[in-house]
Amino acid sequence: MSGPSIVVTRRWPQAVEDQLRARFRCVSLNESDVPLGEAGLHAALREADVVLPTVSDRLPAELFEGGVRTVFLGNFGVGHNHIDVEAASRAGVVVTNTPGVLTDATADTAMTLLLMAARRAGEGEREVRAGGWTGWRPTHMLGTHVTGRTLGVIGMGRIGCAVARRARFGFGMPILYFDTQDVGPDRHGIPDARRLDTVEEVLESADFVSLHMPGSADNAHLVDAARLSRMKPTAILVNTARGDVVDTDALVKALASGTIAGAGLDVYENEPDVPEALRALPNVVLLPHLGSATVETRVAMGMLVLENLEAFLDGREPPCRVC
Ligand code: DGY
C-alpha cells in the first residue's frame, strides 16, 4: 500500500491539485467536475481512506450507515451543514473544515451584495445590457443611501465581524448585532458596536441586515415571515450564510409586497435551483454562491484541507477538526 487512497469530489484549483498529486500516490481527482451524487459518495466512503468533499456534496446519516472505509473527511469550505457530522463521528470518521482563510473574501461578497441591492446595480446592469438605457436623468433608478445607515449583523463570528468592520470603518455605518455569544470589541474591533438581546430587535432597528449564522437545524428558517415583517419597509436583507436560514417563500412574498425593499443573496435553499418567483423579482440581487470565490482564497482553502489531512495522517490533531 502506497499511502492513503484519496477521493476529491470536485475540481480544485490547479495549484492544490498539483500538491495533492505531488504528495500522495493514490489520488482520484474529479477532472470532469460532475458531482458524484449520492451513489458516487456512497461508493467513495466505502472505497477510499480519505474523501475530500465540499458544499455541493450531501453527506447525510444514511451514507454512513453500515460502516465506511473512510477515516477522514476533509471538507473544502467552512460550512459543514451538508455533512451529518454526528453520523460521521459515530462511523469513526474525523471531519475537518477550512475556517479563517475565506473570511475576507466572503465579507467582501456580503458588501458587494449590500451595495448592489442598495444601488440597484443588478437592475442597472440588466438595463444597459438590454440596450434599454435612455440616458441620465434626475429620477433614474434611484437607490438607497448606504453611508451612515445602520447595519444589523446576525451571527457575529469571523465573517460577521469582518462585514461589520467593513461597514463601520469603510462606510461609517453604526453596527448592531445579535449573537448567542458575548462577542466583545477585542474580537470584532468596533468600540461602539451594540449587541442587542434578540434577532427581532436587530431586524427592527437596522437599515441593512446581513446574515452570518451557521447553517444548522436550529437556524433553519430563522428569518421567516414573522421576522421579515419586523424589518423596516426600506430595509435590505443580505444572505451569504446558508440558504435555509431564510424561508424563501416568505422572502419572495416580502420582496413582492414591499414588506422589505430588497435583498442580496449568494446562497439558496436548494442550490443550484433558484425559484423562478425569486428570479422574476427586480429588487433582489442573485449571485451563484460566490462568497469565497477568489483564486487566492480557493487555493488557501485547498491548502488548508491538505494541512488538516497531513496532520491527521501524521497522528497529530488536525488544526480545523470539526469532530
Ligand atoms: C463555505 O466555505 O462554507 C462556503 O459557503 C463555500 O464557499
Side-chain angles (χ1 to χ4, degrees):
M1 172 71 181
S2 54
S5 54
I6 301 174
V7 168
V8 184
T9 66
R10 301 300 298 263
R11 283 296 319 255
W12 282 15
Q14 193 64 51
V16 195
E17 290 193 345
D18 290 348
Q19 283 292 320
L20 273 165
R21 276 203 198 90
R23 294 190 204 182
F24 301 102
R25 292 188 55 192
C26 194
V27 184
S28 167
L29 299 175
N30 181 352
E31 280 168 27
S32 68
D33 205 19
V34 175
L36 300 187
E38 191 184 332
L41 290 168
H42 186 274
L45 290 172
R46 277 145 193 88
E47 288 161 13
D49 303 308
V50 169
V51 175
L52 305 181
T54 190
V55 62
S56 57
D57 302 308
R58 283 196 61 250
L59 294 149
E62 303 84 85
L63 280 194
F64 298 94
E65 276 166 15
V68 294
R69 169 171 167 175
T70 298
V71 287
F72 181 86
L73 272 180
N75 185 53
F76 186 107
V78 64
H80 47 76
N81 59 317
H82 54 289
I83 303 171
D84 189 321
V85 291
E86 280 173 20
S89 181
R90 278 198 302 276
V93 184
V94 168
V95 180
T96 62
N97 68 344
T98 62
V101 292
L102 43 67
T103 300
D104 285 328
T106 309
D108 291 348
T109 300
M111 290 308 293
T112 302
L113 285 168
L114 186 155
L115 290 163
M116 285 183 74
R119 300 302 302 276
R120 303 175 63 181
E123 283 177 78
E125 224 243 359
R126 287 192 292 277
E127 185 177 88
V128 173
R129 283 185 187 277
W133 183 36
T134 56
W136 192 93
R137 55 199 188 277
T139 57
H140 181 219
M141 216 171 265
L142 304 186
T144 300
H145 203 71
V146 172
T147 298
R149 292 285 164 81
T150 298
L151 175 67
V153 176
I154 314 283
M156 202 69 155
R158 289 183 189 83
I159 300 171
C161 289
V163 171
R165 282 192 295 274
R166 280 158 173 73
R168 182 71 192 100
F169 302 123
F171 296 87
M173 300 173 80
I175 305 299
L176 306 173
Y177 67 93
F178 172 81
D179 196 288
T180 51
Q181 314 276 322
D182 191 6
V183 185
D186 51 322
R187 285 251 311 274
H188 55 62
I190 307 168
D192 57 355
R194 281 177 55 214
R195 181 180 179 216
L196 301 185
D197 290 337
T198 62
V199 171
E200 282 75 9
E201 283 174 81
V202 175
L203 296 176
E204 279 164 7
S205 312
D207 300 303
F208 296 88
V209 174
S210 196
L211 304 178
H212 299 287
M213 61 290 249
S216 69
D218 287 347
N219 289 337
H221 288 193
L222 186 124
V223 178
D224 56 8
R227 286 200 164 121
L228 286 163
S229 73
R230 307 291 280 266
M231 291 176 70
K232 298 182 185 182
T234 49
I236 286 172
L237 180 73
V238 172
N239 187 11
T240 54
R242 280 293 180 262
D244 65 358
V245 304
V246 178
D247 177 341
T248 309
D249 293 338
L251 178 63
V252 167
K253 286 190 189 117
L255 288 166
S257 64
T259 302
I260 65 171
L265 307 178
D266 189 43
V267 287
Y268 306 89
E269 289 203 66
N270 296 302
E271 295 181 15
D273 293 335
V274 179
E276 167 57 27
L278 200 52
R279 286 187 280 131
L281 288 168
N283 53 343
V284 58
V285 177
L286 303 170
L287 294 182
H289 204 149
L290 294 180
S292 61
T294 69
V295 174
E296 296 85 345
T297 301
R298 291 285 165 86
V299 170
M301 290 164 74
M303 294 303 182
L304 189 50
V305 176
L306 292 197
E307 204 180 314
N308 279 302
L309 174 57
E310 289 190 329
F312 174 78
L313 295 174
D314 290 350
R316 291 177 284 116
E317 181 67 7
C320 319
R321 184 170 176 158
V322 172
C323 77

